[in-house]
Amino acid sequence: MKILHLLDSVNRGGAETQVLDICRNASRYGLEMTLVAAGGGTLENDFRESGVEYIRLDRKLPVDIYFASQLRRIVKERQIEIVHGYQAVDGLHLYLATRGLKSVKRVLSFQGFIPGRKNRIAARLIAPRMHANISVSETLLTYLKAEARINNFDNFHTIYNGADPARLAPTGYSIKAELGLSSSTMLGGMVANFTADPTKDQLTICRALPAVIKRFPNFHFVFAGRVAEGAEGTMADCLDVCIENGIADHVHFLGGRSDVGDILSELDAFVFSSRQEGFPVAVSEAMLANVPLIVSDIEPLLEATRNGEFGEVFPVGDHEGLSEKLTSLLANPEKRRDMSARAKAYALDHFSIDSHLNDLVKLNRSLE
């Protein structure tokens, strides 16, 4: 099966990490894959070394006819059977590139809530022109129907994002050693970019940490993730809280990292605080890495943890509730071991790259 996947950029993010895992495992599923990027980014070398053909193009306009014509040439020359995008703008250009090519099927993945009126209009226009649309969670599917007002749901399917356990295998590098911490230091962490829109909620974690550190003076917390353009104020607010509460030496902002597996391997607890999600790859990664999990109680995270069966849950934005949950979890190593073991087994069945690719290949074959 000859597949083309299109990404708007290859900066590290949920969709980009998901596609990178797909690329690295494509050959095991009989996929002859081409990855086209409409812009560069921090993962460019990773994609070049992923084992699939990587093509870098430059999209210069919101609707770029020349870019679409380049895509069309690639599709025809490589006899591509399925094209797959991850944003409405991807779907638009894939539609323009393949219009009239009856043997080529179009797939569009919806990774999360759609910001901005123009983006929602574009999604409503392009979804009916896809042969299949993918929602990464049942919660997101409900949103797309009710709030994004996307019609024609006959061609929508739910396929959970999946992470590659092989990518998460630790190399032996120690984040504790990098930070000058002893091996006995208790460590919590969150892996997520600081975003300009009010989705990721690192600030609630920072407000929760003083009480936790008072109870466990040997506890430190790491934030791994780049600061997106426009999110500088959010980052500054987090720093202010840490400085004002005298915990700045216990809280570490690592920036964008490629060694997520090594970081997860040393965590005693993973916290994912968010106000709005589709289905975050970072949560799958933590579960697969055998790290006990605490998440805010938004619907996609409740779906991921099966209503708290495989992770602790706190009310969104409630730093006192998070402090209590995190303190209780750190005080109970047996509970952490049991929770993480059950979560890993569940994630291997539902949120691994093999689970994702099995479902994706079934969908692709149904389009033939």
Side-chain angles (χ1 to χ4, degrees):
M1 188 178 297
K2 295 183 178 181
I3 312 286
L4 182 148
H5 282 241
L6 174 64
L7 286 172
D8 197 48
S9 75
V10 286
N11 280 311
R12 188 174 298 278
E16 293 79 7
T17 301
Q18 173 70 89
V19 177
L20 180 58
D21 282 350
I22 292 173
C23 289
R24 287 171 170 167
N25 291 275
S27 62
R28 292 197 296 114
Y29 284 81
L31 302 179
E32 187 176 335
M33 188 166 163
T34 297
L35 189 284
V36 176
T42 55
L43 289 175
E44 192 152 25
N45 286 337
D46 297 89
F47 277 106
R48 291 188 187 281
E49 297 170 0
S50 66
V52 307
E53 181 184 28
Y54 174 80
I55 300 174
R56 164 75 183 278
L57 301 177
D58 289 308
R59 180 171 62 81
K60 300 183 183 300
L61 299 168
V63 181
D64 193 326
I65 301 302
Y66 177 65
F67 176 75
S69 71
Q70 290 178 295
L71 284 174
R72 187 179 183 88
R73 175 180 53 80
I74 293 168
V75 168
K76 293 175 73 173
E77 286 179 351
R78 287 157 179 78
Q79 299 181 313
I80 296 295
E81 300 166 82
I82 293 175
V83 295
H84 191 146
Y86 289 82
Q87 295 186 47
V89 68
D90 301 336
L92 172 61
H93 286 91
L94 291 173
Y95 171 70
L96 293 173
T98 60
R99 189 169 52 176
L101 302 179
K102 294 183 179 180
S103 63
V104 182
K105 306 302 182 183
R106 296 181 292 270
V107 179
L108 181 62
S109 285
F110 288 84
Q111 293 288 310
F113 295 83
I114 305 171
R117 180 173 174 271
K118 289 183 179 179
N119 289 327
R120 287 191 290 273
I121 291 173
R124 287 198 290 270
L125 288 172
I126 203 62
R129 290 165 173 80
M130 299 292 108
H131 295 93
N133 294 282
I134 294 172
S135 170
V136 297
S137 68
E138 293 294 339
T139 302
L140 179 61
L141 190 61
T142 300
Y143 158 83
L144 293 171
K145 291 179 180 179
E147 296 186 40
R149 293 189 292 114
I150 294 176
N151 298 317
N152 186 13
F153 267 76
D154 292 341
N155 64 353
F156 266 79
H157 311 264
T158 298
I159 297 179
Y160 290 119
N161 281 335
D164 187 356
R167 174 173 57 81
L168 301 172
T171 67
Y173 182 83
S174 172
I175 189 64
K176 290 183 181 179
E178 176 185 323
L179 297 174
L181 306 176
S182 71
S183 59
S184 62
T185 300
M186 299 186 78
L187 193 62
M190 176 174 176
V191 178
N193 293 332
F194 287 80
T195 58
D197 52 39
T199 53
K200 304 299 185 291
D201 184 23
Q202 291 92 342
L203 187 58
T204 291
I205 297 177
C206 292
R207 289 172 172 161
L209 288 176
V212 181
I213 293 169
K214 182 178 180 180
R215 173 68 174 80
F216 297 98
N218 194 36
F219 179 72
H220 286 241
F221 199 93
V222 297
F223 291 100
R226 64 184 179 87
V227 181
E229 184 177 354
E232 296 83 1
T234 302
M235 173 71 165
D237 290 342
C238 288
L239 288 169
D240 286 346
V241 168
C242 294
I243 292 169
E244 290 169 3
N245 286 277
I247 61 169
D249 58 340
H250 283 71
V251 184
H252 311 274
F253 298 89
L254 306 179
R257 304 286 294 218
S258 60
D259 55 345
V260 171
D262 288 320
I263 293 172
L264 292 173
S265 72
E266 292 192 292
L267 296 187
D268 296 284
F270 182 89
V271 181
F272 199 85
S273 177
S274 181
R275 297 182 181 276
Q276 197 176 67
E277 292 293 332
F279 193 91
V281 172
V283 170
S284 303
E285 291 175 338
M287 295 171 79
L288 289 166
N290 205 38
V291 185
L293 184 68
I294 304 177
V295 300
S296 47
D297 65 347
I298 59 175
E299 287 297 325
L301 299 181
L302 292 174
E303 188 175 338
T305 60
R306 208 156 74 175
N307 291 317
E309 183 177 348
F310 301 111
E312 291 290 311
V313 177
F314 70 96
V316 61
D318 181 359
H319 69 275
E320 292 180 349
L322 174 56
S323 291
E324 292 174 5
K325 292 288 186 179
L326 185 51
T327 299
S328 174
L329 194 59
L330 292 174
N332 193 334
E334 184 176 344
K335 181 178 181 179
R336 296 201 305 271
R337 285 192 295 270
D338 174 69
M339 178 191 296
S340 60
R342 290 187 296 106
K344 181 176 181 178
Y346 182 72
L348 284 170
D349 286 340
H350 294 84
F351 310 139
S352 68
I353 192 60
D354 284 320
S355 173
H356 178 84
L357 276 167
N358 273 319
D359 290 342
L360 189 60
V361 168
K362 287 178 185 177
L363 174 61
N364 288 343
R365 286 178 176 158
S366 74
L367 302 176
E368 294 179 344

